[in-house]
Amino acid sequence: MSVALDAEKFYSDDKYFAKNLITIQDRNSQSQYFTYNPAQDLLNQNLTGRDLVVKAGQLGITTYFLARAFKRALTHPGFTNVIVAHTEDLTKRLLSKVNYIYNQFPEVIELQMPDGSVIPTEKPIMKKDSEYLKSFEFPSLKINSVFYIGTARSYNFGRGEPINTFHGSEIAFWPDPEHILLPTLQRVPINSGEVYLESTPNGEGG
C-alpha cells in the first residue's frame, strides 16, 4: 500500500501525521486512522513542551502521547523518546499499541515536495525490538532514533544519554515519582526537550 502525503506536514504537523499514518483500534477492536477527539485536539493546541495533564479516564490522552512519540521516532534524527508507565500491565499494553501502529504503517509513503517532485519513502525498519526498547530507521533516511517504554517500578534503562521527549503516564500512581523524575528531567534539554506528565487523580496525597 502506498500513501501520498505533503512532505512539510509529514514532518511538522502531528495531527496530519496521525490521521494519515497512525492506525489504532477503537473500543470495538475495529481498526481506524487516529483522528483526534475534542480532548486530544484541545491538548494538541495548548502544549507548551513542559506539561502536567490531569485527565479523566477514557479520553485517549495516553494514546495521544504515544502517537506523538512514535512520530518523533520516525521524523526526528537521533531522538530519544522515553515513556514510563506505572504498571507492567500498562507497559505491555503500550508496547502492544506501538507494535500495532508499526504493523499497520504503509509500505511506501510518497512525500510530495514543495517544488512538485515526489520522493517515495519505504516503511521504516524496526532495528531493535526488545521488551523495553524499539528503534526505527527508514531505508532512505538516517534517523537512528530510539523509543524506550518502561515501568516506574523498574525504570533502569538509558541512563546517561539525553532524553528529547519524556512522557510519564499515570504519575500519581508511581511508587516513588521523585526517584525517577529528579535525575530524568536533568537529561531533558531545556530549550528543545519535551516533558509530558499525565495522570488520572489519585486523592490528595497523589
Side-chain angles (χ1 to χ4, degrees):
M1 180 179 66
S2 176
V3 176
L5 296 176
D6 181 276
E8 182 178 355
K9 289 184 177 180
F10 171 82
Y11 287 104
S12 64
D13 191 330
D14 291 345
K15 187 175 181 179
Y16 178 84
F17 187 100
K19 72 178 182 180
N20 287 284
L21 292 172
I22 291 185
T23 303
I24 61 173
Q25 290 181 305
D26 63 19
R27 296 178 184 178
N28 298 315
S29 298
Q30 299 298 311
S31 295
Q32 62 180 37
Y33 282 113
F34 182 25
T35 301
Y36 291 172
N37 64 33
Q40 293 162 339
D41 200 29
L42 182 65
L43 179 64
N44 186 63
Q45 295 177 42
N46 290 280
L47 289 178
T48 67
R50 291 290 193 280
D51 297 274
L52 177 62
V53 181
V54 181
K55 64 180 186 178
Q58 303 300 312
L59 290 179
I61 301 303
T62 300
T63 300
Y64 166 84
F65 283 118
L66 186 73
R68 186 181 177 90
F70 183 86
K71 175 182 179 293
R72 275 151 179 71
L74 301 189
T75 59
H76 290 61
F79 246 50
T80 297
N81 304 271
V82 174
I83 296 179
V84 177
H86 73 296
T87 65
E88 291 287 349
D89 181 61
L90 179 56
T91 300
K92 291 178 181 178
R93 294 204 305 270
L94 294 178
L95 286 167
S96 177
K97 285 186 177 183
V98 172
N99 284 329
Y100 188 82
I101 292 171
Y102 175 77
N103 290 334
Q104 300 298 317
F105 207 80
E107 294 296 329
V108 177
I109 302 170
E110 296 181 351
L111 295 180
Q112 299 174 340
M113 308 305 289
D115 62 2
S117 62
V118 176
I119 299 178
T121 303
E122 297 179 18
K123 179 177 180 175
I125 298 169
M126 190 179 290
K127 295 175 62 179
K128 295 181 181 179
D129 184 12
S130 71
E131 62 182 6
Y132 66 87
L133 169 64
K134 298 181 184 298
S135 66
F136 302 93
E137 173 105 22
F138 280 102
S140 56
L141 301 173
K142 297 301 180 182
I143 297 296
N144 293 319
S145 289
V146 295
F147 194 152
Y148 291 104
I149 301 180
T151 306
R153 293 184 181 277
S154 58
Y155 177 58
N156 58 4
F157 50 80
R159 301 291 185 182
E161 66 198 80
I163 296 173
N164 301 99
T165 300
F166 179 83
H167 168 206
S169 182
E170 296 292 357
I171 63 164
F173 297 87
W174 289 8
D176 188 2
E178 288 187 356
H179 177 73
I180 295 175
L181 292 177
L182 288 178
T184 298
L185 296 184
Q186 295 178 20
R187 296 164 51 197
V188 181
I190 294 176
N191 295 326
S192 60
E194 301 175 349
V195 177
Y196 304 112
L197 307 178
E198 46 88 350
S199 186
T200 48
N202 185 25
E204 184 178 355

